[in-house]
Amino acid sequence: MANNDDNLLKKIVAHAKEYGFVFPSSEIYDGLSAAYDYGQNGVQLKNNLKEYWWKAMVQMNEEIVGIDASIFMHPTTWKASGHVDAFNDPLIDNKDSKKRYRADVLIEDYIAKIEGKINKEVAKATKRFGDDFDKDQFIATNPNVLRNKEKIVSINERMKKGLESGDLESIRQLIIDLEIADPISGSKNWTEVRQFNLMFSTEMGSVADGANTIYLRPETAQGIFVNYLNVQKTGRMRIPFGIAQIGKAFRNEIIARQFIFRMREFEQMEMQFFVKPGEEMEWYNKWKNTRINWHKALGLGEENYRFHDHLNLAHYANAACDIEFNFPMGFKELEGIHSRTDFDLKAHEEHSGKKLQFFDPVENKNYVPYVVETSIGLDRLFLAVLSSAYTEEKLEDGSERVVLRIPAALAPNKVAILPLTKKDGLPEKAREIIDELKYDFTCFYEEKDAIGKRYRRQDAIGTPYCVTVDHQTLEDNTVTIRDRDNMLQERISISDLGTIIGQKVDIKHLLKQLN
Ligand code: GAP
């Protein structure tokens, strides 16, 4: 079942701020729209997500290597990639509310509503027919479902035709015909649709020297394409091989909303896999499979993922899909997998005059490789983890707790070491334990407040283990260890702590599921 819970998103935004995960950017000046800062816990979660991706993609794959390209690139890069001419959003303004929208998103939201009707119809029938219910047959034959499905196909066709041919008037007409209203004011008084380029530009060099307009990269991928030959030659790479990168990207998003889901400055984790022409569909399917398994290994619930195949292919792709996640605002794109053909390398060959090819020793010929790309937004992954981890629980004693059930390997802190009191040598003993553990695990020390309150604070930031140092510890070198998820406590020897914590929090356990 898809989420659509504004309230949940609000709670997550508030929790993320209160517990040092995500702050509005430059908040003392009232913030900057669609820019966010990661706090002391957020940055650790983000780093752990990067580690999970990097290890799975680069460390565990002999045929993939990493790079870190600069954000500024020669301006011709963006001419070649098509971004100067075609990286546009079709925008429409509502004349009454003065709000601006992406025309295609208004139409997609309308389609999502029809999909919602279909889902409701199926849910009703499931209830009515019980165990005998044949969902596939129902969807294939029920007149209401069929009518709505036909409607979706026809809307998609009109939208695709209008966007591909650049006929923006037909997109406006589609919005009028569907009687789509401004989601805020309800008004149907729309302007024409206009194209708006999403790249941020700035100037490099002083004006006296002849300043050049350059762009903040809107995707990390082009840093990989322009380095294809450098890496292939210096790394003696043979096709098929991949280049991976994590880095910032910038887009002047018009509708920047839904917290860190759509930002103007965000981080991508991309991998371009170079293959022999003709073999791209095989690799496209393989990477679809590999990437969905990587997501599912996180344990956020298999039902929260689905593929969405693109009907409107980008100018560079011959096949593309999204991995969608069930965010608090419903199923939305988390990662894109694109078969980009030889579009980018060929375009860079043409614009640079340099050959970007591979000599295939088996075939004894040169060719421009085809590319299959996997591209995930790190901030969206962060939101996926945070939103599915956020749990409000009623406990047996009637009290309540908020716990972040973050996969243990990704938790900002792995263990909190808590002396029961601030005296009698307990803080010193606790520090001794941290000095042993800190080489392997991020540890948190806290001595203020009652122990129950300290447990709750650790639950709220997702710390898998709390270790309490008490008077008995001084006598027999044992501590109590409390598990975040079931709150059970056990008395164990200090010398066993490292092994027990490691069994749960080592990222190896996540990575081993991928083999
Ligand atoms: N190189 C291909 C590419 O950039 P994309 O589908 O435009 O493809 C890839 O972006 C991923 O980047 C998306 O699936 C999403 O997770 C993330 N992303 C895109 N725009 C974003 C934004 N404004 N804020 C946060 N993440 C974004």
Side-chain angles (χ1 to χ4, degrees):
M1 206 49 171
N3 284 318
N4 202 344
D5 192 342
D6 264 1
N7 215 15
L8 175 60
L9 186 62
K10 278 191 194 135
K11 281 184 185 172
I12 287 162
V13 175
H15 191 87
K17 186 173 165 206
E18 186 178 349
Y19 288 95
F21 283 87
V22 183
F23 306 124
S25 159
S26 35
E27 197 190 5
I28 57 167
Y29 296 105
D30 294 334
L32 179 71
S33 149
Y36 289 91
D37 298 340
Y38 287 84
Q40 67 278 17
N41 289 317
V43 71
Q44 304 240 54
L45 171 55
K46 209 174 171 200
N47 283 343
N48 294 338
L49 288 166
K50 286 189 208 178
E51 186 188 358
Y52 177 46
W53 186 85
W54 191 266
K55 286 194 161 158
M57 299 299 272
V58 181
Q59 185 171 317
M60 289 169 62
N61 282 306
E62 271 172 35
E63 74 281 17
I64 299 180
V65 291
I67 63 163
D68 183 18
S70 70
I71 287 171
F72 292 144
M73 300 181 71
H74 192 285
T76 310
T77 308
W78 306 109
K79 190 78 196 144
S81 67
H83 284 83
V84 171
D85 297 322
F87 195 50
N88 299 321
D89 273 349
L91 298 183
I92 191 164
D93 292 304
N94 187 279
K95 290 184 193 165
D96 296 325
S97 70
K98 309 277 184 257
K99 291 272 174 211
R100 181 165 287 179
Y101 297 93
R102 261 177 64 178
D104 55 334
V105 171
L106 283 178
I107 298 168
E108 274 164 12
D109 286 351
Y110 184 88
I111 291 174
K113 277 192 194 140
I114 307 180
E115 279 170 345
K117 281 186 192 163
I118 297 178
N119 289 343
K120 254 193 192 153
E121 201 84 47
V122 173
K124 248 179 25 201
T126 313
K127 223 172 169 184
R128 188 159 13 109
F129 296 116
D131 289 346
D132 297 334
F133 183 57
D134 182 340
K135 186 173 159 190
D136 291 339
Q137 201 202 347
F138 180 80
I139 290 175
T141 54
N142 179 275
N144 286 343
V145 172
L146 288 177
R147 196 169 352 93
N148 279 323
K149 277 174 78 177
E150 267 168 32
K151 206 169 167 188
I152 291 175
V153 171
S154 133
I155 295 171
N156 266 324
E157 270 172 11
R158 279 181 71 182
M159 179 162 74
K160 184 170 184 234
K161 205 166 144 213
L163 290 175
E164 280 180 359
S165 64
D167 179 2
L168 298 179
E169 183 44 40
S170 72
I171 298 293
R172 177 175 189 271
Q173 197 53 50
L174 182 56
I175 289 173
I176 307 274
D177 292 348
L178 296 174
E179 299 186 9
I180 294 177
D182 179 333
I184 295 174
S185 68
S187 154
K188 294 176 191 161
N189 194 4
W190 296 107
T191 62
E192 75 281 16
V193 178
R194 289 176 300 117
Q195 291 289 17
F196 180 88
N197 194 288
L198 294 179
M199 280 197 295
F200 282 104
S201 62
T202 184
E203 278 167 8
M204 185 172 259
S206 69
V207 177
D209 292 334
N212 252 334
T213 297
I214 54 164
Y215 299 100
L216 297 186
R217 65 182 178 195
E219 62 171 8
T220 56
Q222 297 304 324
I224 290 179
F225 290 125
V226 299
N227 276 297
Y228 157 76
L229 209 56
N230 282 336
V231 174
Q232 192 270 319
K233 291 264 183 260
T234 58
R236 300 158 62 82
M237 310 302 290
R238 302 184 71 161
I239 295 254
F241 76 93
I243 305 178
Q245 175 171 218
I246 300 177
K248 290 263 178 155
F250 304 83
R251 296 182 189 177
N252 197 1
E253 301 278 3
I254 289 306
I255 309 140
R257 56 175 186 211
Q258 291 165 334
F259 193 34
I260 53 173
F261 181 82
R262 195 178 300 287
M263 297 197 287
R264 299 205 167 103
E265 172 182 342
F266 57 100
E267 215 159 345
Q268 289 186 317
M269 305 196 286
E270 296 201 296
M271 192 278 301
Q272 268 62 42
F273 202 71
F274 299 91
V275 305
K276 195 168 155 183
E279 293 184 355
E280 71 274 13
M281 286 319 289
E282 196 184 307
W283 284 107
Y284 171 72
N285 288 322
K286 181 182 171 293
W287 278 110
K288 270 177 81 169
N289 202 25
T290 304
R291 293 303 304 148
I292 193 89
N293 288 340
W294 181 89
H295 284 283
K296 287 181 176 171
L298 282 174
L300 308 184
E302 303 215 346
E303 69 287 1
N304 287 321
Y305 298 92
R306 70 182 189 196
F307 281 112
H308 167 75
D309 291 318
H310 286 201
L311 293 172
N312 305 320
L313 290 174
H315 56 278
Y316 50 71
N318 68 357
C321 69
D322 299 332
I323 294 176
E324 293 187 337
F325 184 77
N326 194 8
F327 287 100
M329 39 314 166
F331 275 97
K332 301 260 179 215
E333 176 183 348
L334 168 60
E335 170 157 5
I337 298 159
H338 313 125
S339 172
R340 287 181 82 128
T341 67
D342 55 2
F343 174 88
D344 301 87
L345 288 182
K346 270 211 167 128
H348 288 305
E349 276 197 334
E350 275 163 29
H351 283 78
S352 67
K354 312 268 169 25
K355 284 218 169 316
L356 299 174
Q357 305 193 350
F358 176 72
F359 176 72
D360 190 326
V362 181
E363 303 222 349
N364 197 27
K365 67 169 193 198
N366 282 306
Y367 56 76
V368 178
Y370 269 43
V371 171
V372 174
E373 119 182 308
T374 71
S375 174
I376 176 168
L378 177 55
D379 311 271
R380 288 194 189 175
L381 178 63
F382 186 103
L383 182 58
V385 170
L386 198 64
S387 58
S388 56
Y390 181 91
T391 319
E392 292 172 356
E393 277 182 3
K394 232 189 164 71
L395 304 179
E396 276 175 13
D397 64 4
S399 64
E400 284 174 13
R401 72 163 181 163
V402 171
V403 52
L404 287 189
R405 295 183 182 275
I406 299 175
L410 304 179
N413 297 304
K414 303 298 189 263
V415 55
I417 312 289
L418 315 171
L420 192 61
T421 66
K422 279 191 226 171
K423 44 187 201 302
D424 304 336
L426 299 186
E428 290 75 10
K429 189 72 186 170
R431 297 260 183 226
E432 252 175 51
I433 297 174
I434 290 188
D435 283 342
E436 279 297 309
L437 296 179
K438 71 183 178 192
Y439 302 100
D440 293 314
F441 310 109
T442 41
C443 305
F444 189 93
Y445 175 84
E446 197 176 34
E447 57 184 30
K448 200 170 168 288
D449 291 330
I451 198 75
K453 246 189 175 172
R454 282 184 268 167
Y455 285 158
R456 287 291 173 275
R457 279 203 290 269
Q458 293 308 314
D459 288 344
I461 59 173
T463 309
Y465 285 120
C466 286
V467 166
T468 305
V469 176
D470 56 19
H471 292 92
Q472 191 180 329
T473 312
L474 302 179
E475 284 161 25
D476 64 3
N477 272 324
T478 62
V479 285
T480 53
I481 183 164
R482 171 188 179 271
D483 185 300
R484 172 195 76 191
D485 295 328
N486 56 23
M487 295 183 290
L488 292 179
Q489 299 186 26
E490 215 187 323
R491 189 130 208 134
I492 62 163
S493 164
I494 289 176
S495 56
D496 291 336
L497 267 177
T499 315
I500 291 177
I501 298 167
Q503 271 163 4
K504 185 150 170 178
V505 309
D506 197 330
I507 201 155
K508 206 163 39 187
H509 305 308
L510 274 183
L511 294 166
K512 279 195 165 167
Q513 294 179 60
L514 306 176
N515 288 328

